[in-house]
Amino acid sequence: MKLTEKELEVVEILEKNARISIEDLSKMAGLDPEETNKIVAKLEELKVIVSYPTVIDWSKVDGHEGVTAMIDVKVTPKRGVGFDEVAERIYRFKEVKSVYLMSGAYDLSVVIEGRSMNEVARFVSEKLSTLDSVISTTTHFILKKYKHDGTIFEQTDDDKRIVVSP
């Protein structure tokens, strides 16, 4: 689908700040608010704008530490549907946050969240690895997030420049 220059500008602004007001969005895009509302409604209807997510730093919330794992999955694609059918079976599990078709040594990359490493291990051994098409898995646990979806975590405002004096 080809977007107009203004539609593309609206999408790029919303991608950086989904909470921006229509008034501010209109000013930034050089449009009137009514036209901006129509563009946003159209992009939502066409599923160009899929959702307005919030990025949370759960490490700062007591009792919500949890564990995030990235799992590389090698699968046997099925005739006629390729990887789509097995990807759909995987993304339907409640633990699964993301599934991506990848190039390289593994076919799918699966991101899951659990309350503990044991919970993630149970998911892999009891649910994921038991699927017919799954050949092998490799699990990587995320130890610390530095940047996620363009948002930098724990950014300090310290000035790291060296003081230069005459």
Side-chain angles (χ1 to χ4, degrees), residues 146-148 150-155:
Y146 293 99
K147 186 175 182 179
H148 179 78
T151 302
I152 297 171
F153 287 67
E154 295 188 34
Q155 185 175 9

Side-chain angles (χ1 to χ4, degrees), residues 2 12 18-19 53 56-57 62 69 82 84 89 93-94 113 119-120 136 142 144 152 156-157 161 163-164 166:
K2 184 91 170 139
E12 289 171 348
R19 292 186 56 162
I56 309 292
D57 187 352
D62 291 339
D84 295 346
R89 288 188 68 196
F93 290 115
K94 67 177 176 51
E113 292 179 358
E119 188 175 288
V120 171
S136 67
I142 294 176
K144 181 177 181 179
I152 297 171
T156 60
D157 294 330
R161 295 179 291 177
V163 177
V164 178

Side-chain angles (χ1 to χ4, degrees), residues 10 21-23 25-27 29-42:
V10 166
S21 68
I22 287 293
E23 292 76 23
L25 179 58
S26 300
K27 288 176 191 171
L31 301 166
D32 65 77
E34 186 177 320
E35 188 178 1
T36 304
N37 266 327
K38 286 180 184 176
I39 288 173
V40 171
K42 173 188 171 187

Side-chain angles (χ1 to χ4, degrees), residues 49-99:
I49 297 174
V50 180
S51 71
Y52 298 90
T54 302
V55 178
I56 309 292
D57 187 352
W58 286 109
S59 69
K60 294 185 176 178
V61 181
D62 291 339
H64 286 84
E65 291 78 17
V67 176
T68 303
M70 299 177 77
I71 306 167
D72 298 325
V73 184
K74 189 171 226 16
V75 300
T76 303
K78 292 196 175 179
R79 185 181 306 279
V81 293
F83 297 99
D84 295 346
E85 185 178 290
V86 69
E88 182 178 347
R89 288 188 68 196
I90 292 170
Y91 72 61
R92 292 197 180 277
F93 290 115
K94 67 177 176 51
E95 299 90 343
V96 174
K97 300 301 171 195
S98 306
V99 177

Side-chain angles (χ1 to χ4, degrees), residues 109-120:
S109 181
V110 178
V111 178
I112 72 161
E113 292 179 358
R115 289 186 298 267
S116 67
M117 291 176 93
N118 281 337
E119 188 175 288
V120 171

Side-chain angles (χ1 to χ4, degrees), residues 89 93 123-134 137:
R89 288 188 68 196
F93 290 115
F123 169 80
V124 173
S125 65
E126 296 172 8
K127 295 180 179 179
L128 186 60
S129 64
T130 60
L131 296 175
D132 292 338
S133 299
V134 173
T137 64

